[in-house]
Amino acid sequence: NILDGGIKEVLGIAPIAVPLAEEKLEKRCYKLVKKAVSAKHSRRGIKEVVKALRKKEKGVLIIAGNVTPIDVITHVPILAEENDVPYIYVKSKADLGTAGNSKRPTSCMFVLTPKDGADYAELFNKVKKQILKATPSWD
């Protein structure tokens, strides 16, 4: 992995940030978030994301890897796994916030499964497939 060694520490990425998106997938995730926000098919922030997961909403979850303190988001991947929602970490909460059309950094974004005819459906499926491929299997 390109982020092995000391680079993760320099960027402030938490040790639990697995799977961490590669450069290309990270850019696609930001693009997906941008399109989903403009279509109003997203949930922003821990509180909204947890509520959506508890309501059994489906989609993909994108979590920032540099959230401090890390305890704030440690329960979110567990909820996602329980509800069979694929998730991935990206390097920067500031970039995630910017992609979500916000001036503030965002710790996590939940992109809902697109409705029929949504303009981001193809990108959603491509990103979801790549996230599932990057996710380690614990079976």
Side-chain angles (χ1 to χ4, degrees), residues 82 110 114:
E82 287 172 355
F110 187 59

Side-chain angles (χ1 to χ4, degrees), residues 18-19 60-63 77-78 80-81 85-89 131 135 138:
V18 175
V60 295
L61 179 59
I62 301 162
I63 308 168
I78 297 164
E81 284 176 13
V85 172
Y87 65 92
I88 194 143
Y89 287 88
I131 290 173
T135 304
W138 307 113

